[in-house]
Amino acid sequence: MTKNGYNFKVYTPLEAPIINQFKVSSIPHTFLIDQKGTIVIDKNGAANWNSDTVKATIDKLLLL
């Protein structure tokens, strides 16, 4: 996060007890949450986060 200058929040089970509210039962499990708190992507397992679809979704959210 620091190396790349990212300033968005990242939650991990060790740092955030709130993770229990997401009812995650497997690792890896990733959520992409918009500015309103709506889960846009709920991905269980490994994923290609560098895909054109994911990048387009993130770009769209950044423009909101």
Side-chain angles (χ1 to χ4, degrees):
M1 296 289 294
T2 302
K3 176 184 169 187
N4 292 309
Y6 299 138
N7 61 3
F8 50 84
K9 293 181 181 180
V10 175
Y11 296 101
T12 62
L14 297 176
E15 298 172 6
I18 194 169
I19 200 72
N20 294 328
Q21 293 179 0
F22 290 102
K23 297 184 175 41
V24 174
S25 61
S26 64
I27 297 175
H29 198 116
T30 305
F31 297 96
L32 180 61
I33 302 171
D34 69 12
Q35 293 175 342
K36 294 179 182 177
T38 304
I39 296 173
V40 177
I41 297 176
D42 177 350
K43 178 63 179 160
N44 180 21
N48 178 8
W49 295 105
N50 197 36
S51 72
D52 290 338
T53 302
V54 172
K55 288 192 277 186
T57 301
I58 293 170
D59 286 343
K60 181 180 175 184
L61 291 170
L62 290 172
L63 294 174
L64 296 176

